[in-house]
Amino acid sequence: MDRKLVLNAQLAIAHGHRVEVSERVDELTGEAAVLSVIDLDTGIRYRRAEQPRGESIRWLGRVVDCTVTLGGNSSWTTLTVEADSDGAGVTGAQTALHGADAAVEAAKAEADRWGGGDRVPEPEPERFW
């Protein structure tokens, strides 16, 4: 699956090069922020100046397209990366979390079934005075 990364920097990475992308996912919004891109074929590392906070996700891929746009006071790079098929990355993490939630629900249902949560209680015996 192709991932499109838009970065506020000039990254000239050739088509076909393997890259390692490090991202941090904002827990509130669910948006991913790219922390670093490493061109594994040339060894060039591109990273943010500020120190990353929180947990980061690393994934590998191959560059499909790289467009560096220059204009006015700013420049940016649009990088299209084909993620490796091992399911890594944010999309893979979201899928894994969805699968984990489904597994939790299935485990709860199984525990209820085996634990007797769905059994009807036996009626109390009649009391004699």
Side-chain angles (χ1 to χ4, degrees), residues 10-15 63-69 77-81:
Q10 298 177 19
L11 282 74
I13 301 177
H15 174 79
V63 174
V64 176
D65 183 47
C66 179
T67 304
V68 179
T69 305
T77 301
T78 305
L79 195 63
T80 305
V81 179

Side-chain angles (χ1 to χ4, degrees), residues 19-34:
V19 293
E20 177 184 305
V21 179
S22 177
E23 294 178 316
R24 180 178 45 85
V25 179
D26 187 357
E27 295 176 5
L28 299 175
T29 63
E31 293 181 8
V34 176

Side-chain angles (χ1 to χ4, degrees), residues 87-112:
V90 175
T91 309
Q94 290 172 345
T95 303
L97 287 176
H98 179 69
D101 290 340
V104 166
E105 292 301 320
K108 285 180 182 178
E110 193 69 16
D112 287 342

Side-chain angles (χ1 to χ4, degrees), residues 27-109:
E27 295 176 5
L28 299 175
T29 63
E31 293 181 8
V34 176
L35 300 174
S36 68
V37 177
I38 301 172
D39 186 342
L40 298 174
D41 292 338
T42 63
I44 298 174
R45 299 176 182 178
Y46 304 94
R47 66 181 179 123
R48 289 181 177 255
E50 67 267 7
Q51 293 295 323
R53 293 181 309 249
E55 193 170 326
S56 64
I57 299 170
R58 294 179 190 269
W59 53 276
L60 301 173
R62 188 169 301 279
V63 174
V64 176
D65 183 47
C66 179
T67 304
V68 179
T69 305
L70 304 171
N73 295 333
S74 64
S75 61
W76 65 91
T77 301
T78 305
L79 195 63
T80 305
V81 179
E82 180 182 0
D84 284 350
S85 60
D86 63 356
V90 175
T91 309
Q94 290 172 345
T95 303
L97 287 176
H98 179 69
D101 290 340
V104 166
E105 292 301 320
K108 285 180 182 178

Side-chain angles (χ1 to χ4, degrees), residues 107-119:
K108 285 180 182 178
E110 193 69 16
D112 287 342
R113 186 170 77 90
W114 286 99
D118 60 345
R119 284 189 275 172

